[in-house]
Amino acid sequence: LAHLPTLDGIEAARAPFKSHKWTSEPLLARAANPNAPEAVENPADSGDSPGTVASASEEDIETALTYAAPWNAPAEERKAILNKVADLYEENFGQLFALLAREAGKSMPDAVAELREAVDFLRYYGANIPDAAPVGTFTCISPWNFPLAIFTGQISAALAAGNAVLSKPAEQTPLISHFAISLMHQAGVPKAALQLLPGAGSVGAALTSDPRVDGVAFTGSTATAMKIRAAMAENLAPGAPLIAETGGLNAMIVDSTALPEQAVQAIVESAFQSAGQRCSALRCLYVQEDIAKPFIQMLTGAMDALSVGQPWQLSTDCGPVIDELAWSGIAVHIQTARSEGRLMHEIATPNSGRFIAPTLIRVNGIGDMKREIFGPVLHVATFKSQELDKIIGDINATGYGLTFGLMTRIDDRVQHVTEAVGAGNIYVNRNQIGAIVGSQPFGGEGLSGTGPKAGGPNYLTRYTARPATQSEDPWTQTMATDSLGK
Ligand code: UN1
């Protein structure tokens, strides 16, 4: 019964959508001259703000670094406290959902999935506490697109291993981090082992270039990961671990034997859930030429059934994109495609707010895509059967390797294609998002991340003090040969 939501929780789920105001501050005593609180934006409603955030000042960062102390409680106690945090997340689901909707623009189904993933991370890492010393002090830099799940995943892994954590959440989503960290403290994580330092990139830069930091977990863009890598190499102790999950240019191949209904559903989910704002999302769809016409007709029909709208409406499939910068970048991309006659389909969107209609854009192949478009935009190419290996070559040539999807009923082809494509998460005859903690760990290859996979058996070892050998650090090589971020 302890896990059932309380009536308060249900009421809390309703009220905060419109009225509640949260504040987020660094969770230690503030420095003498703190930064002034600023309004946080609601991505779906520019007239609304869910609360205020006071960014960490230089003095706050200095205090946090001085005060940080590894969590040296016995493993059993750490496990019990992480499980208690999971319980508190479940009990406070109303506030967490409200924040996911109002601060991050998450639709209700996306928010439910995210809360579940966060709870899964806490219980999984709690159940797998490594028998080794911690690295020391870990900086955890988390993204706005999973402001609860990835944020909690990084922190709970670092804490399970006994590290001190300095958390720098995404600039767009400080309030949910603040609330979640308050729950962690309430459950018994010591304040010196877990400190929140909200702010912009400069806060992250300070927390990844100070020699008192011993390791960094980062999820975000490949370019930022490379800057962090360089700053760590210059300032941190040699061998300090960087655990990075970064971008992708994810493809799916649908051949003429695929079950069309299954493929269409998988594509709609993979490209448009979370408004396409997942690094795992499908970006480039290859459809075999023989079936392309009727297949794309089915796909556009399924798109027409999607509803774009306010996150807290239960009918919403696709909420807003995160901010003005994201919105304008995607809008320009769609406008360019329109002017070049490559727009294949788009659906209606609300007139105001930062909404982008799920859109199809024609491309010749993944090579036409210069960068990851982080929104509900799917690029479509066709291929002839004899071109299969060429496409696989093109997909691998992007240098990324996060997710890949294959829709076919030919067994030999499953084996051939899944062996030939270099991607961390390969999915056959299903959607290519929504990895599951424990049973389907998530992580990329090449420019998409350093590994090990989050929610998998090797992840926690990188948060423990072991001498890292060259072969355990595959990114050293990748970084040396690629040209991004230089
Ligand atoms: C991300 O979008 O930053 O499998 C990664 C999935 C999620 C992806 C998270 N775990 O769809």
mmCIF file with all atom_site columns, all heavy atoms in Angstrom, residues 117 143 145-146 150 219-220 245-246 277-281 374 402-403 425 427 432-436 442, ligand 1:
data_model
loop_
_atom_site.group_PDB
_atom_site.id
_atom_site.type_symbol
_atom_site.label_atom_id
_atom_site.label_alt_id
_atom_site.label_comp_id
_atom_site.label_asym_id
_atom_site.label_entity_id
_atom_site.label_seq_id
_atom_site.pdbx_PDB_ins_code
_atom_site.Cartn_x
_atom_site.Cartn_y
_atom_site.Cartn_z
_atom_site.occupancy
_atom_site.B_iso_or_equiv
_atom_site.pdbx_formal_charge
_atom_site.auth_seq_id
_atom_site.auth_comp_id
_atom_site.auth_asym_id
_atom_site.auth_atom_id
_atom_site.pdbx_PDB_model_num
ATOM   1   N N   . GLU A 1 117 ? 10.931 4.962  -15.900 1.00 0.00 ? 117 GLU A N   1
ATOM   2   C CA  . GLU A 1 117 ? 12.350 4.715  -16.177 1.00 0.00 ? 117 GLU A CA  1
ATOM   3   C C   . GLU A 1 117 ? 13.227 5.220  -15.028 1.00 0.00 ? 117 GLU A C   1
ATOM   4   O O   . GLU A 1 117 ? 14.193 4.570  -14.629 1.00 0.00 ? 117 GLU A O   1
ATOM   5   C CB  . GLU A 1 117 ? 12.747 5.374  -17.502 1.00 0.00 ? 117 GLU A CB  1
ATOM   6   C CG  . GLU A 1 117 ? 14.113 4.922  -17.979 1.00 0.00 ? 117 GLU A CG  1
ATOM   7   C CD  . GLU A 1 117 ? 14.502 5.503  -19.340 1.00 0.00 ? 117 GLU A CD  1
ATOM   8   O OE1 . GLU A 1 117 ? 13.743 6.329  -19.894 1.00 0.00 ? 117 GLU A OE1 1
ATOM   9   O OE2 . GLU A 1 117 ? 15.586 5.136  -19.842 1.00 0.00 ? 117 GLU A OE2 1
ATOM   10  N N   . PRO A 1 143 ? 20.349 16.144 -19.579 1.00 0.00 ? 143 PRO A N   1
ATOM   11  C CA  . PRO A 1 143 ? 19.668 16.874 -20.658 1.00 0.00 ? 143 PRO A CA  1
ATOM   12  C C   . PRO A 1 143 ? 18.221 17.234 -20.317 1.00 0.00 ? 143 PRO A C   1
ATOM   13  O O   . PRO A 1 143 ? 17.605 16.617 -19.438 1.00 0.00 ? 143 PRO A O   1
ATOM   14  C CB  . PRO A 1 143 ? 19.692 15.854 -21.800 1.00 0.00 ? 143 PRO A CB  1
ATOM   15  C CG  . PRO A 1 143 ? 19.543 14.536 -21.111 1.00 0.00 ? 143 PRO A CG  1
ATOM   16  C CD  . PRO A 1 143 ? 20.241 14.683 -19.774 1.00 0.00 ? 143 PRO A CD  1
ATOM   17  N N   . ASN A 1 145 ? 15.715 16.713 -22.304 1.00 0.00 ? 145 ASN A N   1
ATOM   18  C CA  . ASN A 1 145 ? 14.716 15.853 -22.955 1.00 0.00 ? 145 ASN A CA  1
ATOM   19  C C   . ASN A 1 145 ? 14.307 14.664 -22.083 1.00 0.00 ? 145 ASN A C   1
ATOM   20  O O   . ASN A 1 145 ? 13.248 14.095 -22.284 1.00 0.00 ? 145 ASN A O   1
ATOM   21  C CB  . ASN A 1 145 ? 15.161 15.413 -24.348 1.00 0.00 ? 145 ASN A CB  1
ATOM   22  C CG  . ASN A 1 145 ? 16.291 14.424 -24.323 1.00 0.00 ? 145 ASN A CG  1
ATOM   23  O OD1 . ASN A 1 145 ? 17.103 14.425 -23.401 1.00 0.00 ? 145 ASN A OD1 1
ATOM   24  N ND2 . ASN A 1 145 ? 16.373 13.574 -25.321 1.00 0.00 ? 145 ASN A ND2 1
ATOM   25  N N   . PHE A 1 146 ? 15.168 14.287 -21.133 1.00 0.00 ? 146 PHE A N   1
ATOM   26  C CA  . PHE A 1 146 ? 14.764 13.331 -20.090 1.00 0.00 ? 146 PHE A CA  1
ATOM   27  C C   . PHE A 1 146 ? 15.178 13.908 -18.745 1.00 0.00 ? 146 PHE A C   1
ATOM   28  O O   . PHE A 1 146 ? 16.100 13.420 -18.093 1.00 0.00 ? 146 PHE A O   1
ATOM   29  C CB  . PHE A 1 146 ? 15.384 11.952 -20.326 1.00 0.00 ? 146 PHE A CB  1
ATOM   30  C CG  . PHE A 1 146 ? 14.694 11.187 -21.423 1.00 0.00 ? 146 PHE A CG  1
ATOM   31  C CD1 . PHE A 1 146 ? 15.143 11.251 -22.731 1.00 0.00 ? 146 PHE A CD1 1
ATOM   32  C CD2 . PHE A 1 146 ? 13.553 10.446 -21.138 1.00 0.00 ? 146 PHE A CD2 1
ATOM   33  C CE1 . PHE A 1 146 ? 14.478 10.571 -23.744 1.00 0.00 ? 146 PHE A CE1 1
ATOM   34  C CE2 . PHE A 1 146 ? 12.891 9.756  -22.144 1.00 0.00 ? 146 PHE A CE2 1
ATOM   35  C CZ  . PHE A 1 146 ? 13.356 9.815  -23.447 1.00 0.00 ? 146 PHE A CZ  1
ATOM   36  N N   . ILE A 1 150 ? 17.045 10.469 -17.237 1.00 0.00 ? 150 ILE A N   1
ATOM   37  C CA  . ILE A 1 150 ? 18.498 10.439 -17.439 1.00 0.00 ? 150 ILE A CA  1
ATOM   38  C C   . ILE A 1 150 ? 19.212 11.123 -16.276 1.00 0.00 ? 150 ILE A C   1
ATOM   39  O O   . ILE A 1 150 ? 20.233 10.646 -15.782 1.00 0.00 ? 150 ILE A O   1
ATOM   40  C CB  . ILE A 1 150 ? 18.883 11.054 -18.804 1.00 0.00 ? 150 ILE A CB  1
ATOM   41  C CG1 . ILE A 1 150 ? 18.361 10.146 -19.920 1.00 0.00 ? 150 ILE A CG1 1
ATOM   42  C CG2 . ILE A 1 150 ? 20.398 11.238 -18.917 1.00 0.00 ? 150 ILE A CG2 1
ATOM   43  C CD1 . ILE A 1 150 ? 18.657 10.611 -21.326 1.00 0.00 ? 150 ILE A CD1 1
ATOM   44  N N   . THR A 1 219 ? 25.144 13.683 -20.752 1.00 0.00 ? 219 THR A N   1
ATOM   45  C CA  . THR A 1 219 ? 24.267 13.336 -21.874 1.00 0.00 ? 219 THR A CA  1
ATOM   46  C C   . THR A 1 219 ? 23.888 14.626 -22.565 1.00 0.00 ? 219 THR A C   1
ATOM   47  O O   . THR A 1 219 ? 23.406 15.562 -21.923 1.00 0.00 ? 219 THR A O   1
ATOM   48  C CB  . THR A 1 219 ? 22.998 12.592 -21.401 1.00 0.00 ? 219 THR A CB  1
ATOM   49  O OG1 . THR A 1 219 ? 23.394 11.381 -20.767 1.00 0.00 ? 219 THR A OG1 1
ATOM   50  C CG2 . THR A 1 219 ? 22.099 12.252 -22.572 1.00 0.00 ? 219 THR A CG2 1
ATOM   51  N N   . GLY A 1 220 ? 24.117 14.682 -23.863 1.00 0.00 ? 220 GLY A N   1
ATOM   52  C CA  . GLY A 1 220 ? 23.842 15.895 -24.627 1.00 0.00 ? 220 GLY A CA  1
ATOM   53  C C   . GLY A 1 220 ? 24.498 15.785 -25.986 1.00 0.00 ? 220 GLY A C   1
ATOM   54  O O   . GLY A 1 220 ? 24.676 14.679 -26.512 1.00 0.00 ? 220 GLY A O   1
ATOM   55  N N   . GLU A 1 245 ? 26.783 10.097 -23.290 1.00 0.00 ? 245 GLU A N   1
ATOM   56  C CA  . GLU A 1 245 ? 25.749 9.641  -24.230 1.00 0.00 ? 245 GLU A CA  1
ATOM   57  C C   . GLU A 1 245 ? 25.423 10.847 -25.092 1.00 0.00 ? 245 GLU A C   1
ATOM   58  O O   . GLU A 1 245 ? 24.993 11.876 -24.567 1.00 0.00 ? 245 GLU A O   1
ATOM   59  C CB  . GLU A 1 245 ? 24.479 9.236  -23.493 1.00 0.00 ? 245 GLU A CB  1
ATOM   60  C CG  . GLU A 1 245 ? 24.501 7.908  -22.808 1.00 0.00 ? 245 GLU A CG  1
ATOM   61  C CD  . GLU A 1 245 ? 23.137 7.655  -22.156 1.00 0.00 ? 245 GLU A CD  1
ATOM   62  O OE1 . GLU A 1 245 ? 22.140 7.573  -22.889 1.00 0.00 ? 245 GLU A OE1 1
ATOM   63  O OE2 . GLU A 1 245 ? 23.087 7.590  -20.933 1.00 0.00 ? 245 GLU A OE2 1
ATOM   64  N N   . THR A 1 246 ? 25.607 10.713 -26.396 1.00 0.00 ? 246 THR A N   1
ATOM   65  C CA  . THR A 1 246 ? 25.495 11.909 -27.242 1.00 0.00 ? 246 THR A CA  1
ATOM   66  C C   . THR A 1 246 ? 24.502 11.714 -28.388 1.00 0.00 ? 246 THR A C   1
ATOM   67  O O   . THR A 1 246 ? 23.534 10.982 -28.237 1.00 0.00 ? 246 THR A O   1
ATOM   68  C CB  . THR A 1 246 ? 26.886 12.314 -27.734 1.00 0.00 ? 246 THR A CB  1
ATOM   69  O OG1 . THR A 1 246 ? 27.470 11.217 -28.424 1.00 0.00 ? 246 THR A OG1 1
ATOM   70  C CG2 . THR A 1 246 ? 27.793 12.684 -26.570 1.00 0.00 ? 246 THR A CG2 1
ATOM   71  N N   . GLN A 1 277 ? 11.992 14.383 -29.769 1.00 0.00 ? 277 GLN A N   1
ATOM   72  C CA  . GLN A 1 277 ? 13.128 14.927 -29.003 1.00 0.00 ? 277 GLN A CA  1
ATOM   73  C C   . GLN A 1 277 ? 13.793 13.842 -28.145 1.00 0.00 ? 277 GLN A C   1
ATOM   74  O O   . GLN A 1 277 ? 13.885 13.951 -26.922 1.00 0.00 ? 277 GLN A O   1
ATOM   75  C CB  . GLN A 1 277 ? 12.650 16.093 -28.139 1.00 0.00 ? 277 GLN A CB  1
ATOM   76  C CG  . GLN A 1 277 ? 12.084 17.237 -28.975 1.00 0.00 ? 277 GLN A CG  1
ATOM   77  C CD  . GLN A 1 277 ? 11.473 18.323 -28.123 1.00 0.00 ? 277 GLN A CD  1
ATOM   78  O OE1 . GLN A 1 277 ? 12.017 19.419 -28.038 1.00 0.00 ? 277 GLN A OE1 1
ATOM   79  N NE2 . GLN A 1 277 ? 10.368 18.046 -27.472 1.00 0.00 ? 277 GLN A NE2 1
ATOM   80  N N   . ARG A 1 278 ? 14.193 12.783 -28.806 1.00 0.00 ? 278 ARG A N   1
ATOM   81  C CA  . ARG A 1 278 ? 14.979 11.730 -28.153 1.00 0.00 ? 278 ARG A CA  1
ATOM   82  C C   . ARG A 1 278 ? 16.193 11.502 -29.017 1.00 0.00 ? 278 ARG A C   1
ATOM   83  O O   . ARG A 1 278 ? 16.081 11.489 -30.254 1.00 0.00 ? 278 ARG A O   1
ATOM   84  C CB  . ARG A 1 278 ? 14.216 10.404 -28.148 1.00 0.00 ? 278 ARG A CB  1
ATOM   85  C CG  . ARG A 1 278 ? 13.004 10.365 -27.282 1.00 0.00 ? 278 ARG A CG  1
ATOM   86  C CD  . ARG A 1 278 ? 12.486 8.939  -27.297 1.00 0.00 ? 278 ARG A CD  1
ATOM   87  N NE  . ARG A 1 278 ? 11.270 8.826  -26.541 1.00 0.00 ? 278 ARG A NE  1
ATOM   88  C CZ  . ARG A 1 278 ? 11.034 7.846  -25.653 1.00 0.00 ? 278 ARG A CZ  1
ATOM   89  N NH1 . ARG A 1 278 ? 11.920 6.895  -25.452 1.00 0.00 ? 278 ARG A NH1 1
ATOM   90  N NH2 . ARG A 1 278 ? 9.905  7.802  -25.001 1.00 0.00 ? 278 ARG A NH2 1
ATOM   91  N N   . CYS A 1 279 ? 17.325 11.250 -28.399 1.00 0.00 ? 279 CYS A N   1
ATOM   92  C CA  . CYS A 1 279 ? 18.482 10.958 -29.248 1.00 0.00 ? 279 CYS A CA  1
ATOM   93  C C   . CYS A 1 279 ? 18.324 9.613  -29.915 1.00 0.00 ? 279 CYS A C   1
ATOM   94  O O   . CYS A 1 279 ? 18.946 9.340  -30.931 1.00 0.00 ? 279 CYS A O   1
ATOM   95  C CB  . CYS A 1 279 ? 19.769 11.052 -28.457 1.00 0.00 ? 279 CYS A CB  1
ATOM   96  S SG  . CYS A 1 279 ? 19.829 9.924  -27.114 1.00 0.00 ? 279 CYS A SG  1
ATOM   97  N N   . SER A 1 280 ? 17.416 8.773  -29.394 1.00 0.00 ? 280 SER A N   1
ATOM   98  C CA  . SER A 1 280 ? 17.166 7.469  -30.014 1.00 0.00 ? 280 SER A CA  1
ATOM   99  C C   . SER A 1 280 ? 16.202 7.555  -31.198 1.00 0.00 ? 280 SER A C   1
ATOM   100 O O   . SER A 1 280 ? 16.022 6.579  -31.921 1.00 0.00 ? 280 SER A O   1
ATOM   101 C CB  . SER A 1 280 ? 16.558 6.534  -28.966 1.00 0.00 ? 280 SER A CB  1
ATOM   102 O OG  . SER A 1 280 ? 15.436 7.158  -28.344 1.00 0.00 ? 280 SER A OG  1
ATOM   103 N N   . ALA A 1 281 ? 15.564 8.707  -31.408 1.00 0.00 ? 281 ALA A N   1
ATOM   104 C CA  . ALA A 1 281 ? 14.463 8.809  -32.379 1.00 0.00 ? 281 ALA A CA  1
ATOM   105 C C   . ALA A 1 281 ? 14.904 8.481  -33.804 1.00 0.00 ? 281 ALA A C   1
ATOM   106 O O   . ALA A 1 281 ? 16.034 8.728  -34.205 1.00 0.00 ? 281 ALA A O   1
ATOM   107 C CB  . ALA A 1 281 ? 13.862 10.212 -32.331 1.00 0.00 ? 281 ALA A CB  1
ATOM   108 N N   . PHE A 1 374 ? 16.468 17.770 -34.110 1.00 0.00 ? 374 PHE A N   1
ATOM   109 C CA  . PHE A 1 374 ? 15.934 17.241 -32.846 1.00 0.00 ? 374 PHE A CA  1
ATOM   110 C C   . PHE A 1 374 ? 14.479 17.640 -32.680 1.00 0.00 ? 374 PHE A C   1
ATOM   111 O O   . PHE A 1 374 ? 14.139 18.487 -31.865 1.00 0.00 ? 374 PHE A O   1
ATOM   112 C CB  . PHE A 1 374 ? 16.801 17.760 -31.699 1.00 0.00 ? 374 PHE A CB  1
ATOM   113 C CG  . PHE A 1 374 ? 16.934 16.784 -30.559 1.00 0.00 ? 374 PHE A CG  1
ATOM   114 C CD1 . PHE A 1 374 ? 17.678 15.619 -30.690 1.00 0.00 ? 374 PHE A CD1 1
ATOM   115 C CD2 . PHE A 1 374 ? 16.311 17.032 -29.344 1.00 0.00 ? 374 PHE A CD2 1
ATOM   116 C CE1 . PHE A 1 374 ? 17.802 14.723 -29.645 1.00 0.00 ? 374 PHE A CE1 1
ATOM   117 C CE2 . PHE A 1 374 ? 16.428 16.139 -28.286 1.00 0.00 ? 374 PHE A CE2 1
ATOM   118 C CZ  . PHE A 1 374 ? 17.169 14.982 -28.444 1.00 0.00 ? 374 PHE A CZ  1
ATOM   119 N N   . LEU A 1 402 ? 23.822 5.081  -32.800 1.00 0.00 ? 402 LEU A N   1
ATOM   120 C CA  . LEU A 1 402 ? 23.002 4.995  -31.589 1.00 0.00 ? 402 LEU A CA  1
ATOM   121 C C   . LEU A 1 402 ? 21.930 3.928  -31.759 1.00 0.00 ? 402 LEU A C   1
ATOM   122 O O   . LEU A 1 402 ? 22.070 2.817  -31.272 1.00 0.00 ? 402 LEU A O   1
ATOM   123 C CB  . LEU A 1 402 ? 22.401 6.364  -31.283 1.00 0.00 ? 402 LEU A CB  1
ATOM   124 C CG  . LEU A 1 402 ? 21.909 6.591  -29.862 1.00 0.00 ? 402 LEU A CG  1
ATOM   125 C CD1 . LEU A 1 402 ? 22.901 6.121  -28.830 1.00 0.00 ? 402 LEU A CD1 1
ATOM   126 C CD2 . LEU A 1 402 ? 21.584 8.046  -29.633 1.00 0.00 ? 402 LEU A CD2 1
ATOM   127 N N   . THR A 1 403 ? 20.825 4.252  -32.481 1.00 0.00 ? 403 THR A N   1
ATOM   128 C CA  . THR A 1 403 ? 19.808 3.216  -32.701 1.00 0.00 ? 403 THR A CA  1
ATOM   129 C C   . THR A 1 403 ? 19.680 2.936  -34.195 1.00 0.00 ? 403 THR A C   1
ATOM   130 O O   . THR A 1 403 ? 20.019 3.769  -35.044 1.00 0.00 ? 403 THR A O   1
ATOM   131 C CB  . THR A 1 403 ? 18.413 3.628  -32.166 1.00 0.00 ? 403 THR A CB  1
ATOM   132 O OG1 . THR A 1 403 ? 17.876 4.678  -32.972 1.00 0.00 ? 403 THR A OG1 1
ATOM   133 C CG2 . THR A 1 403 ? 18.492 4.057  -30.715 1.00 0.00 ? 403 THR A CG2 1
ATOM   134 N N   . ASN A 1 425 ? 22.109 0.225  -30.183 1.00 0.00 ? 425 ASN A N   1
ATOM   135 C CA  . ASN A 1 425 ? 20.812 -0.425 -29.976 1.00 0.00 ? 425 ASN A CA  1
ATOM   136 C C   . ASN A 1 425 ? 20.153 -0.712 -31.320 1.00 0.00 ? 425 ASN A C   1
ATOM   137 O O   . ASN A 1 425 ? 19.753 0.211  -32.036 1.00 0.00 ? 425 ASN A O   1
ATOM   138 C CB  . ASN A 1 425 ? 19.906 0.452  -29.116 1.00 0.00 ? 425 ASN A CB  1
ATOM   139 C CG  . ASN A 1 425 ? 20.295 0.430  -27.657 1.00 0.00 ? 425 ASN A CG  1
ATOM   140 O OD1 . ASN A 1 425 ? 21.432 0.786  -27.328 1.00 0.00 ? 425 ASN A OD1 1
ATOM   141 N ND2 . ASN A 1 425 ? 19.407 0.004  -26.794 1.00 0.00 ? 425 ASN A ND2 1
ATOM   142 N N   . TYR A 1 427 ? 17.110 -2.664 -33.325 1.00 0.00 ? 427 TYR A N   1
ATOM   143 C CA  . TYR A 1 427 ? 15.774 -3.190 -33.060 1.00 0.00 ? 427 TYR A CA  1
ATOM   144 C C   . TYR A 1 427 ? 15.200 -3.784 -34.347 1.00 0.00 ? 427 TYR A C   1
ATOM   145 O O   . TYR A 1 427 ? 15.264 -3.160 -35.408 1.00 0.00 ? 427 TYR A O   1
ATOM   146 C CB  . TYR A 1 427 ? 14.859 -2.068 -32.585 1.00 0.00 ? 427 TYR A CB  1
ATOM   147 C CG  . TYR A 1 427 ? 15.290 -1.405 -31.275 1.00 0.00 ? 427 TYR A CG  1
ATOM   148 C CD1 . TYR A 1 427 ? 15.887 -0.134 -31.279 1.00 0.00 ? 427 TYR A CD1 1
ATOM   149 C CD2 . TYR A 1 427 ? 15.076 -2.028 -30.056 1.00 0.00 ? 427 TYR A CD2 1
ATOM   150 C CE1 . TYR A 1 427 ? 16.258 0.482  -30.094 1.00 0.00 ? 427 TYR A CE1 1
ATOM   151 C CE2 . TYR A 1 427 ? 15.436 -1.421 -28.866 1.00 0.00 ? 427 TYR A CE2 1
ATOM   152 C CZ  . TYR A 1 427 ? 16.025 -0.168 -28.884 1.00 0.00 ? 427 TYR A CZ  1
ATOM   153 O OH  . TYR A 1 427 ? 16.382 0.448  -27.705 1.00 0.00 ? 427 TYR A OH  1
ATOM   154 N N   . GLN A 1 432 ? 12.025 1.814  -32.340 1.00 0.00 ? 432 GLN A N   1
ATOM   155 C CA  . GLN A 1 432 ? 13.448 1.887  -31.966 1.00 0.00 ? 432 GLN A CA  1
ATOM   156 C C   . GLN A 1 432 ? 13.720 2.914  -30.874 1.00 0.00 ? 432 GLN A C   1
ATOM   157 O O   . GLN A 1 432 ? 14.832 3.436  -30.762 1.00 0.00 ? 432 GLN A O   1
ATOM   158 C CB  . GLN A 1 432 ? 14.324 2.087  -33.198 1.00 0.00 ? 432 GLN A CB  1
ATOM   159 C CG  . GLN A 1 432 ? 14.218 3.422  -33.897 1.00 0.00 ? 432 GLN A CG  1
ATOM   160 C CD  . GLN A 1 432 ? 14.912 3.361  -35.256 1.00 0.00 ? 432 GLN A CD  1
ATOM   161 O OE1 . GLN A 1 432 ? 14.349 2.877  -36.213 1.00 0.00 ? 432 GLN A OE1 1
ATOM   162 N NE2 . GLN A 1 432 ? 16.123 3.884  -35.349 1.00 0.00 ? 432 GLN A NE2 1
ATOM   163 N N   . ILE A 1 433 ? 12.713 3.195  -30.066 1.00 0.00 ? 433 ILE A N   1
ATOM   164 C CA  . ILE A 1 433 ? 12.891 4.016  -28.872 1.00 0.00 ? 433 ILE A CA  1
ATOM   165 C C   . ILE A 1 433 ? 12.448 3.207  -27.666 1.00 0.00 ? 433 ILE A C   1
ATOM   166 O O   . ILE A 1 433 ? 11.865 2.135  -27.827 1.00 0.00 ? 433 ILE A O   1
ATOM   167 C CB  . ILE A 1 433 ? 12.055 5.316  -28.938 1.00 0.00 ? 433 ILE A CB  1
ATOM   168 C CG1 . ILE A 1 433 ? 10.572 4.972  -29.144 1.00 0.00 ? 433 ILE A CG1 1
ATOM   169 C CG2 . ILE A 1 433 ? 12.577 6.240  -30.016 1.00 0.00 ? 433 ILE A CG2 1
ATOM   170 C CD1 . ILE A 1 433 ? 9.640  6.120  -28.886 1.00 0.00 ? 433 ILE A CD1 1
ATOM   171 N N   . GLY A 1 434 ? 12.726 3.764  -26.487 1.00 0.00 ? 434 GLY A N   1
ATOM   172 C CA  . GLY A 1 434 ? 12.150 3.158  -25.285 1.00 0.00 ? 434 GLY A CA  1
ATOM   173 C C   . GLY A 1 434 ? 12.921 1.979  -24.741 1.00 0.00 ? 434 GLY A C   1
ATOM   174 O O   . GLY A 1 434 ? 12.340 0.961  -24.364 1.00 0.00 ? 434 GLY A O   1
ATOM   175 N N   . ALA A 1 435 ? 14.246 2.096  -24.696 1.00 0.00 ? 435 ALA A N   1
ATOM   176 C CA  . ALA A 1 435 ? 15.063 1.063  -24.071 1.00 0.00 ? 435 ALA A CA  1
ATOM   177 C C   . ALA A 1 435 ? 14.608 0.844  -22.632 1.00 0.00 ? 435 ALA A C   1
ATOM   178 O O   . ALA A 1 435 ? 14.068 1.756  -22.002 1.00 0.00 ? 435 ALA A O   1
ATOM   179 C CB  . ALA A 1 435 ? 16.525 1.487  -24.099 1.00 0.00 ? 435 ALA A CB  1
ATOM   180 N N   . ILE A 1 436 ? 14.808 -0.351 -22.124 1.00 0.00 ? 436 ILE A N   1
ATOM   181 C CA  . ILE A 1 436 ? 14.303 -0.695 -20.790 1.00 0.00 ? 436 ILE A CA  1
ATOM   182 C C   . ILE A 1 436 ? 15.457 -1.015 -19.849 1.00 0.00 ? 436 ILE A C   1
ATOM   183 O O   . ILE A 1 436 ? 16.325 -1.843 -20.178 1.00 0.00 ? 436 ILE A O   1
ATOM   184 C CB  . ILE A 1 436 ? 13.324 -1.884 -20.876 1.00 0.00 ? 436 ILE A CB  1
ATOM   185 C CG1 . ILE A 1 436 ? 12.094 -1.468 -21.691 1.00 0.00 ? 436 ILE A CG1 1
ATOM   186 C CG2 . ILE A 1 436 ? 12.904 -2.349 -19.483 1.00 0.00 ? 436 ILE A CG2 1
ATOM   187 C CD1 . ILE A 1 436 ? 11.136 -2.593 -21.985 1.00 0.00 ? 436 ILE A CD1 1
ATOM   188 N N   . PHE A 1 442 ? 20.886 0.908  -22.761 1.00 0.00 ? 442 PHE A N   1
ATOM   189 C CA  . PHE A 1 442 ? 20.904 1.884  -23.856 1.00 0.00 ? 442 PHE A CA  1
ATOM   190 C C   . PHE A 1 442 ? 22.246 2.601  -23.967 1.00 0.00 ? 442 PHE A C   1
ATOM   191 O O   . PHE A 1 442 ? 22.766 3.103  -22.982 1.00 0.00 ? 442 PHE A O   1
ATOM   192 C CB  . PHE A 1 442 ? 19.812 2.934  -23.612 1.00 0.00 ? 442 PHE A CB  1
ATOM   193 C CG  . PHE A 1 442 ? 19.723 3.951  -24.709 1.00 0.00 ? 442 PHE A CG  1
ATOM   194 C CD1 . PHE A 1 442 ? 19.067 3.651  -25.892 1.00 0.00 ? 442 PHE A CD1 1
ATOM   195 C CD2 . PHE A 1 442 ? 20.319 5.194  -24.578 1.00 0.00 ? 442 PHE A CD2 1
ATOM   196 C CE1 . PHE A 1 442 ? 18.994 4.573  -26.924 1.00 0.00 ? 442 PHE A CE1 1
ATOM   197 C CE2 . PHE A 1 442 ? 20.249 6.131  -25.606 1.00 0.00 ? 442 PHE A CE2 1
ATOM   198 C CZ  . PHE A 1 442 ? 19.580 5.812  -26.779 1.00 0.00 ? 442 PHE A CZ  1
HETATM 199 C C1  . UN1 B 2 .   ? 18.139 10.425 -25.145 1.00 0.00 ? 1   UN1 B C1  1
HETATM 200 O O1  . UN1 B 2 .   ? 17.201 10.745 -25.853 1.00 0.00 ? 1   UN1 B O1  1
HETATM 201 O O2  . UN1 B 2 .   ? 18.896 11.304 -24.686 1.00 0.00 ? 1   UN1 B O2  1
HETATM 202 O O3  . UN1 B 2 .   ? 15.656 4.389  -25.589 1.00 0.00 ? 1   UN1 B O3  1
HETATM 203 C C2  . UN1 B 2 .   ? 18.457 9.030  -24.811 1.00 0.00 ? 1   UN1 B C2  1
HETATM 204 C C3  . UN1 B 2 .   ? 15.213 5.529  -25.506 1.00 0.00 ? 1   UN1 B C3  1
HETATM 205 C C4  . UN1 B 2 .   ? 15.736 6.439  -24.430 1.00 0.00 ? 1   UN1 B C4  1
HETATM 206 C C5  . UN1 B 2 .   ? 16.638 7.412  -25.093 1.00 0.00 ? 1   UN1 B C5  1
HETATM 207 C C6  . UN1 B 2 .   ? 17.344 8.285  -24.162 1.00 0.00 ? 1   UN1 B C6  1
HETATM 208 N N1  . UN1 B 2 .   ? 16.408 5.684  -23.399 1.00 0.00 ? 1   UN1 B N1  1
HETATM 209 O O4  . UN1 B 2 .   ? 14.390 5.968  -26.280 1.00 0.00 ? 1   UN1 B O4  1
#
